[in-house]
Amino acid sequence: ALNEILDEFGSDDGGFQGELPLSQHVRVGQKTFHFDAGQNDRGIYLKVSEVQPSFRTAITIPEKSWTRFRDIIDDFVEKLEIESERVRAAEENGGSGEDSAVNSGRNSS
């Protein structure tokens, strides 16, 4: 039975001969995020799993889009840092930061 599956779907692992990055994880509250590199016949991928005590979900990101995902996350981080600094500065100057966001036409959603 296994030979039939291998004949039908192949056993090629994508041809990558180097070492994949080691798995990593980060714990945030009750959640743990696992980052696992792997490969199959379609190439290298990164599987990001969110694990909670009674729940697990994952996404698989093909290697060819890792750079784009990184750029998007970097953009979010940068914008949040700028916004946090703006709010912090407004609070130090006696405002809540909310008024200046409304006055500048920003939408908080």
Side-chain angles (χ1 to χ4, degrees):
L2 179 58
N3 287 336
E4 292 172 8
I5 293 171
L6 290 175
D7 288 341
E8 182 177 349
F9 296 103
S11 60
D12 184 16
D13 63 4
F16 179 72
Q17 299 300 315
E19 290 198 27
L20 295 172
L22 294 175
S23 295
Q24 297 184 44
H25 70 275
V26 62
R27 186 160 181 82
V28 181
Q30 293 291 319
K31 299 178 184 181
T32 302
F33 294 92
H34 296 270
F35 300 83
D36 302 297
Q39 70 181 75
N40 57 25
D41 61 333
R42 291 178 281 186
I44 298 172
Y45 59 88
L46 176 65
K47 184 168 135 182
V48 181
S49 304
E50 174 189 348
V51 180
Q52 297 180 42
S54 62
F55 180 77
R56 179 184 185 102
T57 189
I59 62 169
T60 302
I61 306 166
E63 179 190 24
K64 64 184 176 186
S65 61
W66 288 3
T67 302
R68 182 69 181 128
F69 270 76
R70 183 202 58 212
D71 293 346
I72 290 169
I73 291 170
D74 283 347
D75 188 48
F76 273 87
V77 169
E78 182 180 327
K79 287 178 179 174
L80 186 57
E81 286 173 345
I82 291 168
E83 183 65 14
S84 294
E85 182 58 35
R86 186 193 64 74
V87 169
R88 190 171 21 260
E91 288 173 348
E92 289 174 1
N93 292 326
S96 67
E98 185 65 31
D99 292 336
S100 58
V102 171
N103 291 334
S104 67
R106 291 182 41 105
N107 185 344
S108 63
S109 55

